[in-house]
Amino acid sequence: MSAAPPALSPAALARCLPFVVFMALLALRGYLPADLGLDARWIYGAQTAIVAGLLAWFWRGYGELVRQNLPDARETGWSVVIGIAVFAIWVQLDAPWMQLGSATASFVPLDASGQLIWPLVLLRLIGAALVVPVMEELFWRSFLMRWVQHPGFERVDPQTVGLRAIVMSTFVFTLAHTLWLAAVVAGLAYALLYRRTGKLWTAVVAHAVTNGLLGIWVIATGRWEFW
């Protein structure tokens, strides 16, 4: 008789559940039948609210995000610079061979006349720049990267994480993005920043800067395929 797979620890669950819920709602938005008469774009608002609620619920369990682990001015500056650099690189890496298929849940916040629907725009910006960076860094870097290093990830100092864990977690991170080469650059940048500083907030800040700038750029240029 085979043994049952080990259950997720409370710490792992707190880092995985918001991500899993977000991805499930993303899939729902992408595959929802058009004849239901429901504007699937508003599901993103539900994604943002639900995931934000889960992060708030588990917040006390995120030791790496307590006030004592906030980055200093120098670390924050580097985070911002890296976030800007990743954004600048990301928007250049969109050649066909740099893409894994096409997005199943595109987000074009325009009405029938081509005008911006600002509530949708603001929902997307808030989700992408404030909620997603916290959710993703908790899952990809705080959990997965350290778990690859050792299943008892809570005891793993991020500054001791080896190359194998960085590469493997970045590889899986890449599979969750259409622009795979851009995702490689971003994943490695955030992982190495986290490893260098030992503070997850630096990766969160860099990720937030990238997503925020990308959102502003998408709105200004109309390059909705990046959303």
Side-chain angles (χ1 to χ4, degrees):
M1 185 176 179
S2 60
L8 284 177
S9 68
L13 181 66
R15 288 157 179 76
C16 293
L17 186 59
F19 178 79
V20 170
V21 169
F22 183 88
M23 296 303 290
L25 290 173
L26 181 66
L28 174 65
R29 184 161 60 88
Y31 293 105
L32 199 67
D35 58 4
L36 287 182
L38 176 67
D39 188 342
R41 294 175 299 182
W42 289 101
I43 294 177
Y44 190 85
Q47 278 180 278
T48 301
I50 292 171
V51 171
L54 286 170
L55 292 173
W57 178 264
F58 290 119
W59 193 260
R60 290 188 178 182
Y62 302 140
E64 59 270 68
L65 296 181
V66 297
R67 182 175 298 180
Q68 293 90 325
N69 289 330
L70 288 173
D72 59 27
R74 182 173 178 274
E75 291 166 336
T76 301
W78 273 111
S79 301
V80 171
V81 169
I82 289 173
I84 294 171
V86 171
F87 156 72
I89 295 170
W90 187 286
V91 297
Q92 300 299 321
L93 301 180
D94 64 337
W97 67 270
M98 302 174 185
Q99 302 181 37
L100 291 172
S102 57
T104 59
S106 58
F107 193 93
V108 182
L110 301 177
D111 61 20
S113 63
Q115 298 300 307
L116 288 171
I117 304 173
W118 279 105
L120 280 175
V121 171
L122 293 176
L123 276 175
R124 180 69 173 189
L125 277 175
I126 291 170
L130 299 180
V131 177
V132 168
V134 176
M135 172 201 73
E136 288 205 352
E137 293 309 315
L138 281 166
F139 176 76
W140 294 116
R141 257 60 71 175
S142 174
F143 169 67
L144 186 61
M145 187 175 81
R146 293 195 296 165
W147 180 85
V148 173
Q149 183 72 22
H150 190 280
F153 74 97
E154 291 177 90
R155 300 188 299 272
V156 176
D157 182 342
Q159 293 184 300
T160 66
V161 169
L163 181 61
R164 173 178 169 274
I166 292 173
V167 170
M168 289 185 66
S169 59
T170 299
F171 173 74
V172 183
F173 173 79
T174 299
L175 297 179
H177 294 79
T178 303
L179 298 176
W180 69 267
L181 187 56
V184 168
V185 172
L188 288 175
Y190 304 150
L192 292 172
L193 183 61
Y194 179 37
R195 188 187 188 281
R196 172 69 177 176
T197 63
K199 297 179 180 179
L200 189 66
W201 272 118
T202 57
V204 171
V205 169
H207 200 151
V209 169
T210 298
N211 285 8
L213 289 176
L214 181 64
I216 294 169
W217 181 82
V218 166
I219 295 165
T221 62
R223 296 289 302 275
W224 306 113
E225 68 272 20
F226 281 86
W227 254 11

